[in-house]
């Protein structure tokens, strides 16, 4: 399909050059490779009617959505169309006024774990999604079947599509769990306290890497950041050296010898014992709600609700196109 938008291409090229010259470590841009992150950009006016969307140059397209979000502002009339694992997606910008939400709960501490996705300081736990671990054998089998096919053959591209679908399913399951958790946290609490995890450092530990990648920590934090802005709650990120798991949430004693495999926290000072993650979550909650926390207020970064009002544009909603 010939849908090149030269102006956008030049804008992209300009950005690529700017990044190359200003951001250290950013390499020289490369050409797009066909079949990898396939997407294109269309500029022009779009129309929405129910689950159908009128695209520039292409015309009316039916989607799998029940109702596509309506476009309120004329300026956001560009769409990006992408293909993921054999499915086509449309993204466009939608202006949404953030609605003020009454938060039924106050401050909450969240401990991101390996055994559970998250443990909250009120005792609630979200079970870990082991999407990849469950699909691992299937993915390995499909990967083998791809490598047995002749390169460039039709059978190989069919096998690749099957493999892509298996990977896509894992990504979707993970995404769903993260969205549900972050929405719950941001909508129901006036302050959310999380730990600044050293994800890349933890990924170097091979025994933890897979479990952490399965949890999607980066994505969790990114979503929490913008959702807290939408719903007007405060996000507090506690310094990564704050000993949340090693401190006794009952008396404040720091238990230095705590190992990663100790699932239960037992305080040597006051004999308080609780689940390790829950103990950490309570400590995080305390660090957030108190005006001066254990690690000092300067070490904390927070996203205030003031930013929300300036940043009204939501990320583009994706509509799934019917083929
Ligand atoms: Zn204690």
């Amino acid at each position: 399909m010939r849908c090149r938008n030269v102006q956008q291409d030049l804008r992209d090229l300009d950005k690529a050059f700017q990044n190359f010259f200003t951001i250290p470590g950013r390499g020289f841009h490369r050409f797009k490779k066909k079949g990898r992150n396939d997407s294109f950009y269309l500029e022009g006016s779009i129309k929405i009617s129910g689950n159908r969307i009128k695209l520039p140059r292409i015309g009316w397209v039916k989607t799998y959505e029940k109702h596509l979000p309506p476009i309120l502002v004329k300026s956001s009339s560009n769409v990006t169309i992408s293909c993921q694992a054999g499915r086509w997606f449309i993204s466009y910008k939608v202006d949404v006024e953030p609605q003020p939400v009454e938060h039924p709960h106050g401050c909450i501490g969240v401990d991101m774990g390996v055994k559970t996705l998250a443990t909250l300081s009120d005792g609630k736990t979200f079970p870990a999604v082991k999407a990849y671990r469950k699909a691992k054998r299937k993915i390995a089998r499909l990967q083998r079947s791809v490598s047995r096919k002749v390169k460039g053959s039709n059978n190989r591209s069919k096998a690749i599509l099957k493999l892509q679908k298996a990977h896509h399913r894992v990504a979707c399951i993970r995404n769903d769990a993260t969205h549900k958790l972050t929405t719950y946290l941001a909508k129901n609490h006036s302050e959310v306290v999380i730990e600044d995890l050293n994800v890349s450092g933890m990924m170097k530990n091979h025994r933890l890497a897979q479990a952490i990648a399965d949890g999607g920590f980066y994505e969790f934090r990114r979503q929490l950041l913008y959702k807290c802005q939408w719903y007007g709650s405060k996000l507090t990120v506690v310094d990564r050296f704050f000993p949340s798991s090693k401190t006794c949430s009952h008396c404040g004693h720091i238990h230095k010898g705590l190992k990663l495999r100790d699932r239960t926290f037992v305080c040597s000072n006051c004999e308080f014992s609780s689940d390790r993650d829950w103990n950490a979550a309570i400590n995080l909650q305390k660090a957030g709600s108190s005006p001066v926390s254990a690690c000092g207020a300067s070490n904390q970064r927070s996203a205030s609700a003031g930013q929300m009002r300036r940043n009204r544009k939501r990320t583009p909603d994706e509509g799934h196109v019917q083929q």
Side-chain angles (χ1 to χ4, degrees):
M1 203 186 300
R2 271 181 170 265
C3 290
R4 295 286 302 279
N5 183 312
V6 181
Q7 279 185 330
Q8 184 61 30
D9 287 349
L10 287 172
R11 274 197 290 270
D12 290 343
L13 182 65
D14 177 51
K15 204 177 173 198
F17 267 119
Q18 274 177 11
N19 287 343
F20 172 62
F21 286 121
T22 54
I23 302 173
R26 184 69 69 94
F28 194 71
H29 48 272
R30 276 175 293 180
F31 275 112
K32 234 179 185 175
K33 185 156 166 56
K34 237 186 192 178
R36 195 170 292 171
N37 302 326
D38 273 343
S39 73
F40 60 92
Y41 179 90
L42 290 177
E43 211 168 53
S45 64
I46 54 172
K47 269 186 204 163
I48 307 280
S49 142
N51 67 341
R52 300 188 311 147
I53 178 167
K54 194 184 182 190
L55 301 171
R57 276 178 262 195
I58 294 175
W60 285 103
V61 175
K62 232 177 173 182
T63 68
Y64 277 106
E65 300 289 307
K66 264 188 187 150
H67 290 285
L68 286 168
I71 324 141
L72 300 173
V73 172
K74 279 188 177 163
S75 62
S76 61
S77 55
N78 310 316
V79 289
T80 301
I81 296 176
S82 56
C83 182
Q84 287 164 28
R87 287 170 166 186
W88 290 89
F89 292 88
I90 299 175
S91 322
Y92 58 91
K93 279 181 192 160
V94 179
D95 271 10
V96 178
E97 289 284 321
Q99 278 149 10
V101 180
E102 283 285 312
H103 302 289
H105 306 290
C107 179
I108 191 129
V110 186
D111 181 72
M112 298 295 285
V114 172
K115 290 268 153 70
T116 51
L117 177 64
T119 307
L120 312 187
S121 55
D122 60 4
K124 206 170 169 166
T125 55
F126 285 80
V129 269
K130 290 163 187 167
Y132 179 70
R133 220 174 300 166
K134 275 183 187 162
K136 212 163 98 179
R137 282 180 62 197
K138 189 182 178 186
I139 285 172
R141 179 170 55 75
L142 291 171
Q143 185 68 65
R144 270 200 307 279
S145 104
V146 168
S147 64
R148 284 198 201 103
K149 307 281 189 293
V150 179
K151 271 193 181 171
S153 69
N154 277 338
N155 279 334
R156 190 181 168 98
S157 51
K158 278 186 235 165
I160 287 173
L161 187 63
K162 274 187 188 169
L163 178 66
Q164 281 176 342
K165 279 184 178 165
H167 276 296
H168 188 66
R169 190 184 139 82
V170 172
C172 287
I173 292 171
R174 191 180 291 165
N175 223 351
D176 177 64
T178 318
H179 269 297
K180 278 176 183 160
L181 171 62
T182 49
T183 302
Y184 170 78
L185 289 172
K187 251 190 175 172
N188 293 298
H189 304 90
S190 57
E191 186 179 359
V192 183
V193 189
I194 58 166
E195 213 173 354
D196 182 15
L197 285 175
N198 179 10
V199 178
S200 44
M202 282 161 89
M203 290 289 269
K204 279 178 194 149
N205 180 346
H206 289 288
R207 292 166 75 182
L208 282 175
Q210 195 182 305
I212 289 162
D214 223 16
F217 284 127
Y218 272 127
E219 187 57 17
F220 169 78
R221 191 168 153 182
R222 190 190 69 83
Q223 286 178 11
L224 208 54
L225 199 73
Y226 76 78
K227 283 183 188 178
C228 280
Q229 288 182 2
W230 283 358
Y231 300 120
S233 51
K234 192 180 168 206
L235 177 68
T236 307
V237 182
V238 174
D239 188 82
R240 74 174 51 148
F241 298 110
F242 174 64
S244 63
S245 2
K246 287 177 184 167
T247 309
C248 170
S249 61
H250 192 244
C251 71
H253 175 76
I254 294 175
H255 181 22
K256 285 211 174 91
L258 191 78
K259 296 264 163 53
L260 202 60
R261 61 171 180 272
D262 299 338
R263 299 312 309 167
T264 315
F265 181 90
V266 182
C267 179
S268 53
N269 191 32
C270 69
E271 288 174 1
F272 167 79
S273 88
S274 87
D275 177 68
R276 174 205 172 91
D277 297 335
W278 190 29
N279 180 55
I282 295 171
N283 284 324
L284 286 171
Q285 185 205 17
K286 282 182 180 168
S289 52
S290 58
V292 180
S293 73
C295 56
S298 61
N299 285 336
Q300 294 176 10
R301 276 178 283 154
S302 61
S304 65
Q307 257 175 301
M308 178 179 94
R309 262 155 237 131
R310 265 174 278 131
N311 196 357
R312 262 178 196 151
K313 234 167 223 174
R314 280 196 176 186
T315 45
D317 273 307
E318 286 192 328
H320 186 188
V321 184
Q322 216 163 20
Q323 277 175 315

